[in-house]
Amino acid sequence: MDTIFYSLQEFMTFSKGITYLIMGAILILMPLYWLFLTDRDEKKETY
Amino acid sequence: MGISRRKFLGWFGGLSATAATAATSAIAGSNHHFKGHPDTMGVLHDINRCIGCRKCEEACNTVNELPKPEKPFDDLSVLDQKRRTHADVYTVVNQFQQGKEKVHVKKQCNHCMEPACASACFVKAFKKMPNGSVVYDESVCVGCRYCMIACPFNIPAYDYDSVLSPKVTKCTLCHPRVQKGLLPGCVEACPKEALIYGNRKELIKIARKRINKHPDQYIDHIYGEHEMGGTSWLYISGTPFSEIGMREDLGVKSAPELTSGPLSAVPIVVGLWPVLLTGVYAISKRKDKVAEEEKAEAVKAAENVAEEHLKNQIAKLKLEATKEKEAAIKKEVTKALEEAAKEAEKKAEAKAAEAAPEKKEDE
Amino acid sequence: MMERTSRISLRPMMTPFNVMLGIILAIGCVLTVLRFTGGLSVVTNLDDNNPWGIWIGFDLLCGVALAAGGYTTSAACYIFGLKRYHSAVRPAILTAFLGYALVVFALHYDVGRPWRLPFPIFWQQGTTSLLFEVGLCVFLYLTVLFIEFTPAAFEWLGFSKLREKILKLTILLTIFGVVLSTLHQSSLGALYTIVPSKLHPLWYSGYLPVYFFISSMFAGLSMVIFEGSLAHKYLHHKMDETHLRESEGVVLGFGKAASFIMAGYVAIKVIGLAVDNSWHYLFTGYGAWFLLELIGFVALPSFVYAIGVREKNIRLIQRTALWSVLGIVLNRFNISLIAFNWQLPTSERYFPSWMEIGVSLFIVAIGIVVYRFITANMPILYEHPDYRSEH
């Protein structure tokens, strides 16, 4: 994290890269969190 | 918590120091102004000095080992046509008529400070080097040609003729030569010093000085200082730029800035859409559930009413049945009594009849 | 196991339409050979000023917009809980899956080195590029669509356990599908935000991503109505009672939704003009063309949809659906080919070669043939009797 960014292009390459990884994590963690949240709901039929 | 105060303060201090470093070096791009690498080199093209000899084109062709064109470089009749860069033609000189004068301009990749091609490329095939050159990596290029769409100067060209190894072609600012301490081929070949290679910031100062020294000979504008966020190739001219094929309506916003908005919206969609959509789903499921429950309740209520009704009917019927029974019994009893009465009467009559003839005999 | 699905139709195969399809397919094969032995210059009219032609403008941009029925229909049915659209889901998912698969197929013709198409995702990621975003999302969404399509195939093949496992994922896949669709539909529009200098000011806007996303919604809804009308005519014998019963509701409901969304779209387009103060451009030649697109192919069909819905006129809605689809195609063509490079002199403008057109038709023909095969043999337009109505 101590590289200096000389151009917006360099900065965005770095920041967007991290952002995409975070997006991937969100898409995995959110469904898991949903399952955790609804674990103890009454069971009902779904599709 | 079993941490000593010293340890905690130590942690805290370490964390803040890291955060501070991170904050200073990776500042949010929202308001930060990037100035480019301090050692960025550039080329100053003084259009007034260009005579259209095409020696720069020839040098470029030689140092890059490009295929020789149909018409040789000393054939100046090509200047009658407006040309653009092409596959394996990294630079061209164009000629414009200005009254009685002929004006010549060299055109090639401007090596932008915030290159649109680098911003657009989805395999990172373009890179702005610290020395200012924007270089192209053929080994990863897929050939999508979005860089050609993105470049506001219409510089990148494509090898449409090649079947297996088509590539994008453009000026490299002689990156390999420059790294060896040589000048770019075109700069070296120019007989009129219409091209100077040097540190970009210095070149801007030189250009400023030249304009200020001869204000009647130059338009008061350094083309490339701010256009599209600034370019490494700078131009000064006595003729208005729009009259020599250089667009003056490009603005100062760079390509990364232009796409920053849409790009920033992407992760927000990923963060929020699942929540909103799951919310809609949950609400609609709940609505369905409540509707089902209400329906079940309504059915139950209706059933209860029906049952009540039925019960009442049964009670009524029972009552009627009891009444009927009682009435029937009464009837039977009355009948029996009547019959008994009749019997008795008959018997009485019979007895009376028997007694009557006996009485007659007694006289 | 069903008997009726495995017989090939006894109707004669050599209808004029099929003959035409056959010719297109044959020519397409020849063009494919030419493309991959001669290179792009032999088959296309692309040049350095016009690097993107109809393979991007039609096959990619229109293809993706018109395949949007997949996410809209499944969202309506599973997320919004509108179960009366259930019979429309499978045909819509099939169209979307085939649509996206063919888009990827078409890209193999357009890019210079198609064998390197996995590079941006798996080798070196150009994360600042909106095209990277498009590529990643299309790749993921194609996977989602494929998975959503498999239950129909599994019913045909008899893999009931596998089918059940997949069906449990329905809501997750649907939500993921809407997220991905939002992203790539809008990013296709965002591709052009990088070139304000090349796209005519009436079409260039910071709102391009929003315009593309919103228009994809009514593109999808209209395609479902339009394809439904074609299926009713030519695949009627494949439809079961549920499908037939629900179809009118689908036309009315989707027509209503499309009408309203189109009205909203016109509103945000007008806002875009105001925000950029582009009114004066409306009085130019391009302005007339812009108004033709917005009024003639969005505002008017929106209104006619409304009339159709109010009067429950199914035919009118179906015709308007085709009209709206043409409007979407016009919009995508305008942005990628007509209003793009508008400042170049006419001699430097692009027009597709007949071979480019031939390849595009070839790809559409493949889509039609595969669609017909799948709907004829798999439970798309009807419910498989072994798995009937578990909903």
mmCIF file with all atom_site columns, all heavy atoms in Angstrom, chain C residues 1-20:
data_model
loop_
_atom_site.group_PDB
_atom_site.id
_atom_site.type_symbol
_atom_site.label_atom_id
_atom_site.label_alt_id
_atom_site.label_comp_id
_atom_site.label_asym_id
_atom_site.label_entity_id
_atom_site.label_seq_id
_atom_site.pdbx_PDB_ins_code
_atom_site.Cartn_x
_atom_site.Cartn_y
_atom_site.Cartn_z
_atom_site.occupancy
_atom_site.B_iso_or_equiv
_atom_site.pdbx_formal_charge
_atom_site.auth_seq_id
_atom_site.auth_comp_id
_atom_site.auth_asym_id
_atom_site.auth_atom_id
_atom_site.pdbx_PDB_model_num
ATOM 1   N N   . MET C 1 1  ? -42.004 -42.736 -19.244 1.00 0.00 ? 1  MET C N   1
ATOM 2   C CA  . MET C 1 1  ? -41.319 -41.720 -20.079 1.00 0.00 ? 1  MET C CA  1
ATOM 3   C C   . MET C 1 1  ? -42.210 -41.344 -21.257 1.00 0.00 ? 1  MET C C   1
ATOM 4   O O   . MET C 1 1  ? -42.898 -42.194 -21.810 1.00 0.00 ? 1  MET C O   1
ATOM 5   C CB  . MET C 1 1  ? -40.009 -42.241 -20.637 1.00 0.00 ? 1  MET C CB  1
ATOM 6   C CG  . MET C 1 1  ? -38.808 -41.655 -19.932 1.00 0.00 ? 1  MET C CG  1
ATOM 7   S SD  . MET C 1 1  ? -38.949 -39.894 -19.709 1.00 0.00 ? 1  MET C SD  1
ATOM 8   C CE  . MET C 1 1  ? -37.842 -39.251 -20.908 1.00 0.00 ? 1  MET C CE  1
ATOM 9   N N   . MET C 1 2  ? -42.196 -40.094 -21.617 1.00 0.00 ? 2  MET C N   1
ATOM 10  C CA  . MET C 1 2  ? -43.091 -39.595 -22.675 1.00 0.00 ? 2  MET C CA  1
ATOM 11  C C   . MET C 1 2  ? -42.744 -40.211 -24.010 1.00 0.00 ? 2  MET C C   1
ATOM 12  O O   . MET C 1 2  ? -41.580 -40.335 -24.383 1.00 0.00 ? 2  MET C O   1
ATOM 13  C CB  . MET C 1 2  ? -42.945 -38.085 -22.783 1.00 0.00 ? 2  MET C CB  1
ATOM 14  C CG  . MET C 1 2  ? -43.663 -37.319 -21.690 1.00 0.00 ? 2  MET C CG  1
ATOM 15  S SD  . MET C 1 2  ? -45.410 -37.672 -21.660 1.00 0.00 ? 2  MET C SD  1
ATOM 16  C CE  . MET C 1 2  ? -45.978 -36.763 -23.059 1.00 0.00 ? 2  MET C CE  1
ATOM 17  N N   . GLU C 1 3  ? -43.806 -40.519 -24.704 1.00 0.00 ? 3  GLU C N   1
ATOM 18  C CA  . GLU C 1 3  ? -43.612 -41.071 -26.050 1.00 0.00 ? 3  GLU C CA  1
ATOM 19  C C   . GLU C 1 3  ? -43.673 -39.939 -27.062 1.00 0.00 ? 3  GLU C C   1
ATOM 20  O O   . GLU C 1 3  ? -42.936 -39.885 -28.004 1.00 0.00 ? 3  GLU C O   1
ATOM 21  C CB  . GLU C 1 3  ? -44.724 -42.089 -26.348 1.00 0.00 ? 3  GLU C CB  1
ATOM 22  C CG  . GLU C 1 3  ? -44.198 -43.436 -26.727 1.00 0.00 ? 3  GLU C CG  1
ATOM 23  C CD  . GLU C 1 3  ? -44.061 -44.313 -25.496 1.00 0.00 ? 3  GLU C CD  1
ATOM 24  O OE1 . GLU C 1 3  ? -45.101 -44.790 -25.028 1.00 0.00 ? 3  GLU C OE1 1
ATOM 25  O OE2 . GLU C 1 3  ? -42.924 -44.499 -25.004 1.00 0.00 ? 3  GLU C OE2 1
ATOM 26  N N   . ARG C 1 4  ? -44.573 -38.999 -26.816 1.00 0.00 ? 4  ARG C N   1
ATOM 27  C CA  . ARG C 1 4  ? -44.918 -38.079 -27.903 1.00 0.00 ? 4  ARG C CA  1
ATOM 28  C C   . ARG C 1 4  ? -43.778 -37.151 -28.296 1.00 0.00 ? 4  ARG C C   1
ATOM 29  O O   . ARG C 1 4  ? -43.752 -36.630 -29.373 1.00 0.00 ? 4  ARG C O   1
ATOM 30  C CB  . ARG C 1 4  ? -46.137 -37.238 -27.512 1.00 0.00 ? 4  ARG C CB  1
ATOM 31  C CG  . ARG C 1 4  ? -45.871 -36.299 -26.364 1.00 0.00 ? 4  ARG C CG  1
ATOM 32  C CD  . ARG C 1 4  ? -47.050 -35.403 -26.140 1.00 0.00 ? 4  ARG C CD  1
ATOM 33  N NE  . ARG C 1 4  ? -46.799 -34.557 -24.986 1.00 0.00 ? 4  ARG C NE  1
ATOM 34  C CZ  . ARG C 1 4  ? -47.544 -33.544 -24.640 1.00 0.00 ? 4  ARG C CZ  1
ATOM 35  N NH1 . ARG C 1 4  ? -48.607 -33.263 -25.332 1.00 0.00 ? 4  ARG C NH1 1
ATOM 36  N NH2 . ARG C 1 4  ? -47.284 -32.808 -23.591 1.00 0.00 ? 4  ARG C NH2 1
ATOM 37  N N   . THR C 1 5  ? -42.846 -36.943 -27.389 1.00 0.00 ? 5  THR C N   1
ATOM 38  C CA  . THR C 1 5  ? -41.826 -35.950 -27.730 1.00 0.00 ? 5  THR C CA  1
ATOM 39  C C   . THR C 1 5  ? -40.757 -36.463 -28.667 1.00 0.00 ? 5  THR C C   1
ATOM 40  O O   . THR C 1 5  ? -40.041 -35.706 -29.279 1.00 0.00 ? 5  THR C O   1
ATOM 41  C CB  . THR C 1 5  ? -41.103 -35.463 -26.473 1.00 0.00 ? 5  THR C CB  1
ATOM 42  O OG1 . THR C 1 5  ? -40.652 -36.600 -25.751 1.00 0.00 ? 5  THR C OG1 1
ATOM 43  C CG2 . THR C 1 5  ? -42.049 -34.657 -25.618 1.00 0.00 ? 5  THR C CG2 1
ATOM 44  N N   . SER C 1 6  ? -40.614 -37.774 -28.766 1.00 0.00 ? 6  SER C N   1
ATOM 45  C CA  . SER C 1 6  ? -39.454 -38.251 -29.516 1.00 0.00 ? 6  SER C CA  1
ATOM 46  C C   . SER C 1 6  ? -39.704 -38.413 -31.005 1.00 0.00 ? 6  SER C C   1
ATOM 47  O O   . SER C 1 6  ? -38.789 -38.525 -31.779 1.00 0.00 ? 6  SER C O   1
ATOM 48  C CB  . SER C 1 6  ? -38.943 -39.563 -28.927 1.00 0.00 ? 6  SER C CB  1
ATOM 49  O OG  . SER C 1 6  ? -40.045 -40.392 -28.664 1.00 0.00 ? 6  SER C OG  1
ATOM 50  N N   . ARG C 1 7  ? -40.968 -38.377 -31.425 1.00 0.00 ? 7  ARG C N   1
ATOM 51  C CA  . ARG C 1 7  ? -41.206 -38.496 -32.864 1.00 0.00 ? 7  ARG C CA  1
ATOM 52  C C   . ARG C 1 7  ? -40.857 -37.183 -33.549 1.00 0.00 ? 7  ARG C C   1
ATOM 53  O O   . ARG C 1 7  ? -41.262 -36.122 -33.125 1.00 0.00 ? 7  ARG C O   1
ATOM 54  C CB  . ARG C 1 7  ? -42.683 -38.793 -33.177 1.00 0.00 ? 7  ARG C CB  1
ATOM 55  C CG  . ARG C 1 7  ? -43.254 -40.016 -32.536 1.00 0.00 ? 7  ARG C CG  1
ATOM 56  C CD  . ARG C 1 7  ? -42.696 -41.307 -33.107 1.00 0.00 ? 7  ARG C CD  1
ATOM 57  N NE  . ARG C 1 7  ? -42.735 -41.428 -34.545 1.00 0.00 ? 7  ARG C NE  1
ATOM 58  C CZ  . ARG C 1 7  ? -43.811 -41.832 -35.234 1.00 0.00 ? 7  ARG C CZ  1
ATOM 59  N NH1 . ARG C 1 7  ? -44.947 -42.096 -34.604 1.00 0.00 ? 7  ARG C NH1 1
ATOM 60  N NH2 . ARG C 1 7  ? -43.755 -41.954 -36.547 1.00 0.00 ? 7  ARG C NH2 1
ATOM 61  N N   . ILE C 1 8  ? -40.112 -37.244 -34.611 1.00 0.00 ? 8  ILE C N   1
ATOM 62  C CA  . ILE C 1 8  ? -39.882 -36.051 -35.429 1.00 0.00 ? 8  ILE C CA  1
ATOM 63  C C   . ILE C 1 8  ? -41.170 -35.788 -36.173 1.00 0.00 ? 8  ILE C C   1
ATOM 64  O O   . ILE C 1 8  ? -41.828 -36.706 -36.628 1.00 0.00 ? 8  ILE C O   1
ATOM 65  C CB  . ILE C 1 8  ? -38.717 -36.275 -36.415 1.00 0.00 ? 8  ILE C CB  1
ATOM 66  C CG1 . ILE C 1 8  ? -37.465 -36.649 -35.607 1.00 0.00 ? 8  ILE C CG1 1
ATOM 67  C CG2 . ILE C 1 8  ? -38.519 -35.040 -37.264 1.00 0.00 ? 8  ILE C CG2 1
ATOM 68  C CD1 . ILE C 1 8  ? -36.226 -35.920 -35.978 1.00 0.00 ? 8  ILE C CD1 1
ATOM 69  N N   . SER C 1 9  ? -41.514 -34.517 -36.288 1.00 0.00 ? 9  SER C N   1
ATOM 70  C CA  . SER C 1 9  ? -42.787 -34.155 -36.895 1.00 0.00 ? 9  SER C CA  1
ATOM 71  C C   . SER C 1 9  ? -42.918 -34.759 -38.279 1.00 0.00 ? 9  SER C C   1
ATOM 72  O O   . SER C 1 9  ? -41.964 -34.802 -39.047 1.00 0.00 ? 9  SER C O   1
ATOM 73  C CB  . SER C 1 9  ? -42.871 -32.628 -36.971 1.00 0.00 ? 9  SER C CB  1
ATOM 74  O OG  . SER C 1 9  ? -43.985 -32.278 -37.727 1.00 0.00 ? 9  SER C OG  1
ATOM 75  N N   . LEU C 1 10 ? -44.143 -35.247 -38.570 1.00 0.00 ? 10 LEU C N   1
ATOM 76  C CA  . LEU C 1 10 ? -44.339 -35.894 -39.862 1.00 0.00 ? 10 LEU C CA  1
ATOM 77  C C   . LEU C 1 10 ? -44.593 -34.869 -40.955 1.00 0.00 ? 10 LEU C C   1
ATOM 78  O O   . LEU C 1 10 ? -44.653 -35.190 -42.117 1.00 0.00 ? 10 LEU C O   1
ATOM 79  C CB  . LEU C 1 10 ? -45.523 -36.868 -39.782 1.00 0.00 ? 10 LEU C CB  1
ATOM 80  C CG  . LEU C 1 10 ? -45.267 -38.079 -38.877 1.00 0.00 ? 10 LEU C CG  1
ATOM 81  C CD1 . LEU C 1 10 ? -46.542 -38.888 -38.690 1.00 0.00 ? 10 LEU C CD1 1
ATOM 82  C CD2 . LEU C 1 10 ? -44.188 -38.964 -39.464 1.00 0.00 ? 10 LEU C CD2 1
ATOM 83  N N   . ARG C 1 11 ? -44.744 -33.563 -40.495 1.00 0.00 ? 11 ARG C N   1
ATOM 84  C CA  . ARG C 1 11 ? -44.982 -32.548 -41.527 1.00 0.00 ? 11 ARG C CA  1
ATOM 85  C C   . ARG C 1 11 ? -43.756 -32.461 -42.419 1.00 0.00 ? 11 ARG C C   1
ATOM 86  O O   . ARG C 1 11 ? -42.649 -32.632 -41.962 1.00 0.00 ? 11 ARG C O   1
ATOM 87  C CB  . ARG C 1 11 ? -45.226 -31.179 -40.877 1.00 0.00 ? 11 ARG C CB  1
ATOM 88  C CG  . ARG C 1 11 ? -46.648 -30.909 -40.519 1.00 0.00 ? 11 ARG C CG  1
ATOM 89  C CD  . ARG C 1 11 ? -46.843 -29.437 -40.306 1.00 0.00 ? 11 ARG C CD  1
ATOM 90  N NE  . ARG C 1 11 ? -46.012 -28.951 -39.199 1.00 0.00 ? 11 ARG C NE  1
ATOM 91  C CZ  . ARG C 1 11 ? -46.333 -29.086 -37.924 1.00 0.00 ? 11 ARG C CZ  1
ATOM 92  N NH1 . ARG C 1 11 ? -47.463 -29.681 -37.594 1.00 0.00 ? 11 ARG C NH1 1
ATOM 93  N NH2 . ARG C 1 11 ? -45.548 -28.659 -36.986 1.00 0.00 ? 11 ARG C NH2 1
ATOM 94  N N   . PRO C 1 12 ? -43.938 -32.143 -43.679 1.00 0.00 ? 12 PRO C N   1
ATOM 95  C CA  . PRO C 1 12 ? -42.775 -32.066 -44.574 1.00 0.00 ? 12 PRO C CA  1
ATOM 96  C C   . PRO C 1 12 ? -41.805 -30.984 -44.093 1.00 0.00 ? 12 PRO C C   1
ATOM 97  O O   . PRO C 1 12 ? -42.190 -29.910 -43.704 1.00 0.00 ? 12 PRO C O   1
ATOM 98  C CB  . PRO C 1 12 ? -43.390 -31.693 -45.924 1.00 0.00 ? 12 PRO C CB  1
ATOM 99  C CG  . PRO C 1 12 ? -44.760 -31.215 -45.621 1.00 0.00 ? 12 PRO C CG  1
ATOM 100 C CD  . PRO C 1 12 ? -45.202 -31.924 -44.385 1.00 0.00 ? 12 PRO C CD  1
ATOM 101 N N   . MET C 1 13 ? -40.491 -31.324 -44.117 1.00 0.00 ? 13 MET C N   1
ATOM 102 C CA  . MET C 1 13 ? -39.487 -30.414 -43.600 1.00 0.00 ? 13 MET C CA  1
ATOM 103 C C   . MET C 1 13 ? -39.138 -29.315 -44.586 1.00 0.00 ? 13 MET C C   1
ATOM 104 O O   . MET C 1 13 ? -38.580 -28.305 -44.223 1.00 0.00 ? 13 MET C O   1
ATOM 105 C CB  . MET C 1 13 ? -38.215 -31.200 -43.258 1.00 0.00 ? 13 MET C CB  1
ATOM 106 C CG  . MET C 1 13 ? -38.467 -32.331 -42.291 1.00 0.00 ? 13 MET C CG  1
ATOM 107 S SD  . MET C 1 13 ? -37.895 -31.937 -40.634 1.00 0.00 ? 13 MET C SD  1
ATOM 108 C CE  . MET C 1 13 ? -36.140 -32.025 -40.866 1.00 0.00 ? 13 MET C CE  1
ATOM 109 N N   . MET C 1 14 ? -39.439 -29.534 -45.863 1.00 0.00 ? 14 MET C N   1
ATOM 110 C CA  . MET C 1 14 ? -38.967 -28.604 -46.881 1.00 0.00 ? 14 MET C CA  1
ATOM 111 C C   . MET C 1 14 ? -39.906 -27.432 -47.102 1.00 0.00 ? 14 MET C C   1
ATOM 112 O O   . MET C 1 14 ? -40.247 -27.110 -48.224 1.00 0.00 ? 14 MET C O   1
ATOM 113 C CB  . MET C 1 14 ? -38.769 -29.352 -48.210 1.00 0.00 ? 14 MET C CB  1
ATOM 114 C CG  . MET C 1 14 ? -37.793 -30.492 -48.107 1.00 0.00 ? 14 MET C CG  1
ATOM 115 S SD  . MET C 1 14 ? -36.108 -29.873 -47.897 1.00 0.00 ? 14 MET C SD  1
ATOM 116 C CE  . MET C 1 14 ? -35.584 -29.773 -49.592 1.00 0.00 ? 14 MET C CE  1
ATOM 117 N N   . THR C 1 15 ? -40.294 -26.770 -45.982 1.00 0.00 ? 15 THR C N   1
ATOM 118 C CA  . THR C 1 15 ? -41.113 -25.576 -46.161 1.00 0.00 ? 15 THR C CA  1
ATOM 119 C C   . THR C 1 15 ? -40.218 -24.469 -46.714 1.00 0.00 ? 15 THR C C   1
ATOM 120 O O   . THR C 1 15 ? -38.996 -24.520 -46.557 1.00 0.00 ? 15 THR C O   1
ATOM 121 C CB  . THR C 1 15 ? -41.687 -25.111 -44.823 1.00 0.00 ? 15 THR C CB  1
ATOM 122 O OG1 . THR C 1 15 ? -40.590 -24.757 -43.971 1.00 0.00 ? 15 THR C OG1 1
ATOM 123 C CG2 . THR C 1 15 ? -42.504 -26.213 -44.169 1.00 0.00 ? 15 THR C CG2 1
ATOM 124 N N   . PRO C 1 16 ? -40.800 -23.470 -47.351 1.00 0.00 ? 16 PRO C N   1
ATOM 125 C CA  . PRO C 1 16 ? -39.974 -22.365 -47.883 1.00 0.00 ? 16 PRO C CA  1
ATOM 126 C C   . PRO C 1 16 ? -39.080 -21.755 -46.806 1.00 0.00 ? 16 PRO C C   1
ATOM 127 O O   . PRO C 1 16 ? -37.922 -21.430 -47.052 1.00 0.00 ? 16 PRO C O   1
ATOM 128 C CB  . PRO C 1 16 ? -41.009 -21.352 -48.381 1.00 0.00 ? 16 PRO C CB  1
ATOM 129 C CG  . PRO C 1 16 ? -42.249 -22.115 -48.580 1.00 0.00 ? 16 PRO C CG  1
ATOM 130 C CD  . PRO C 1 16 ? -42.224 -23.292 -47.668 1.00 0.00 ? 16 PRO C CD  1
ATOM 131 N N   . PHE C 1 17 ? -39.642 -21.626 -45.606 1.00 0.00 ? 17 PHE C N   1
ATOM 132 C CA  . PHE C 1 17 ? -38.863 -21.039 -44.526 1.00 0.00 ? 17 PHE C CA  1
ATOM 133 C C   . PHE C 1 17 ? -37.649 -21.894 -44.206 1.00 0.00 ? 17 PHE C C   1
ATOM 134 O O   . PHE C 1 17 ? -36.532 -21.393 -44.052 1.00 0.00 ? 17 PHE C O   1
ATOM 135 C CB  . PHE C 1 17 ? -39.753 -20.883 -43.279 1.00 0.00 ? 17 PHE C CB  1
ATOM 136 C CG  . PHE C 1 17 ? -39.070 -20.213 -42.129 1.00 0.00 ? 17 PHE C CG  1
ATOM 137 C CD1 . PHE C 1 17 ? -38.742 -18.868 -42.170 1.00 0.00 ? 17 PHE C CD1 1
ATOM 138 C CD2 . PHE C 1 17 ? -38.736 -20.942 -40.993 1.00 0.00 ? 17 PHE C CD2 1
ATOM 139 C CE1 . PHE C 1 17 ? -38.109 -18.257 -41.113 1.00 0.00 ? 17 PHE C CE1 1
ATOM 140 C CE2 . PHE C 1 17 ? -38.104 -20.337 -39.920 1.00 0.00 ? 17 PHE C CE2 1
ATOM 141 C CZ  . PHE C 1 17 ? -37.780 -18.994 -39.975 1.00 0.00 ? 17 PHE C CZ  1
ATOM 142 N N   . ASN C 1 18 ? -37.857 -23.204 -44.126 1.00 0.00 ? 18 ASN C N   1
ATOM 143 C CA  . ASN C 1 18 ? -36.746 -24.102 -43.823 1.00 0.00 ? 18 ASN C CA  1
ATOM 144 C C   . ASN C 1 18 ? -35.696 -24.111 -44.915 1.00 0.00 ? 18 ASN C C   1
ATOM 145 O O   . ASN C 1 18 ? -34.496 -24.197 -44.645 1.00 0.00 ? 18 ASN C O   1
ATOM 146 C CB  . ASN C 1 18 ? -37.261 -25.523 -43.581 1.00 0.00 ? 18 ASN C CB  1
ATOM 147 C CG  . ASN C 1 18 ? -37.885 -25.656 -42.207 1.00 0.00 ? 18 ASN C CG  1
ATOM 148 O OD1 . ASN C 1 18 ? -37.801 -24.750 -41.392 1.00 0.00 ? 18 ASN C OD1 1
ATOM 149 N ND2 . ASN C 1 18 ? -38.518 -26.783 -41.959 1.00 0.00 ? 18 ASN C ND2 1
ATOM 150 N N   . VAL C 1 19 ? -36.170 -24.005 -46.155 1.00 0.00 ? 19 VAL C N   1
ATOM 151 C CA  . VAL C 1 19 ? -35.209 -23.953 -47.267 1.00 0.00 ? 19 VAL C CA  1
ATOM 152 C C   . VAL C 1 19 ? -34.339 -22.713 -47.127 1.00 0.00 ? 19 VAL C C   1
ATOM 153 O O   . VAL C 1 19 ? -33.111 -22.764 -47.274 1.00 0.00 ? 19 VAL C O   1
ATOM 154 C CB  . VAL C 1 19 ? -35.950 -23.959 -48.622 1.00 0.00 ? 19 VAL C CB  1
ATOM 155 C CG1 . VAL C 1 19 ? -34.991 -23.660 -49.760 1.00 0.00 ? 19 VAL C CG1 1
ATOM 156 C CG2 . VAL C 1 19 ? -36.631 -25.299 -48.843 1.00 0.00 ? 19 VAL C CG2 1
ATOM 157 N N   . MET C 1 20 ? -35.009 -21.597 -46.808 1.00 0.00 ? 20 MET C N   1
ATOM 158 C CA  . MET C 1 20 ? -34.256 -20.347 -46.636 1.00 0.00 ? 20 MET C CA  1
ATOM 159 C C   . MET C 1 20 ? -33.251 -20.485 -45.495 1.00 0.00 ? 20 MET C C   1
ATOM 160 O O   . MET C 1 20 ? -32.088 -20.087 -45.623 1.00 0.00 ? 20 MET C O   1
ATOM 161 C CB  . MET C 1 20 ? -35.238 -19.214 -46.344 1.00 0.00 ? 20 MET C CB  1
ATOM 162 C CG  . MET C 1 20 ? -34.608 -17.847 -46.444 1.00 0.00 ? 20 MET C CG  1
ATOM 163 S SD  . MET C 1 20 ? -35.748 -16.555 -45.929 1.00 0.00 ? 20 MET C SD  1
ATOM 164 C CE  . MET C 1 20 ? -35.891 -16.891 -44.194 1.00 0.00 ? 20 MET C CE  1
#
